[in-house]
Amino acid sequence: MAIQILDERISIHNNSFGGSEPLSTLLLLVGDIGLQVVAANPLNTSNVRVSLVGTVSVDFAPPTAESPEPGTISLFVERGGDGTPGTGVTIWQEQFDVAPNASLFPISITAADFPPAADVLTGQIRYVLFIGADSPFSLVLSGPAVFNGSASAGTT
């Protein structure tokens, strides 16, 4: 069956530099999209694929405490769920170690998913991006935080 472009969505939590949302072990939702996949039913229900990309910028919250221990930034993408961490299926996750007073750069993610037919039959699939930090020093979401996704179906 020919490739069908089903949907494309964007989620912008912050589109400029200068944010100051504190990061902690309590995960922060920074991206939330619902991809419409109803056009894949019934012929392409098992042939849906999803491409997801995102960027987040993290920085130290002034003043930065001196600590010999590194911190960890965690990012998670979940399929389904209600926007609360752990209520969906984790399809991508990554952890980044951060040394005190290191240079921090925007973090970009790329993920893909082949959602199960049962999820495709619902007509819309929700994807969310979470960020959190476990650190002896303070980290903040400091700039752009965006999450984009597209869904297509077909076999050729």
Side-chain angles (χ1 to χ4, degrees):
M1 171 155 278
I3 300 296
Q4 293 178 278
I5 304 301
L6 301 174
D7 198 9
E8 186 171 42
R9 301 289 169 150
I10 62 172
S11 174
I12 302 172
H13 182 79
N14 180 3
N15 64 356
S16 63
F17 285 98
S20 60
E21 289 179 86
L23 298 177
S24 68
T25 55
L26 180 61
L27 296 177
L28 175 66
L29 187 143
V30 293
D32 190 352
I33 57 175
L35 292 171
Q36 301 291 323
V37 293
V38 70
N41 297 325
L43 298 177
N44 267 328
T45 303
S46 297
N47 298 316
V48 172
R49 51 194 170 275
V50 173
S51 175
L52 303 163
V53 296
T55 299
V56 295
S57 293
V58 176
D59 204 350
F60 297 101
T64 301
E66 291 296 323
S67 171
E69 299 297 318
T72 302
I73 298 169
S74 301
L75 290 150
F76 298 86
V77 174
E78 287 186 358
R79 176 187 349 104
D82 62 9
T84 304
T87 60
V89 175
T90 300
I91 63 160
W92 182 91
Q93 66 182 24
E94 187 69 51
Q95 292 185 321
F96 304 91
D97 291 332
V98 180
N101 297 317
S103 295
L104 298 177
F105 299 94
I107 301 167
S108 293
I109 69 155
T110 302
D113 188 31
F114 291 100
D119 287 353
V120 174
L121 288 170
T122 67
Q124 176 175 289
I125 305 173
R126 184 178 189 180
Y127 291 91
V128 291
L129 171 62
F130 297 103
I131 187 170
D134 185 6
S135 174
F137 41 86
S138 297
L139 294 167
V140 294
L141 187 62
S142 65
V146 297
F147 185 53
N148 308 318
S150 62
S152 60
T155 57
T156 58

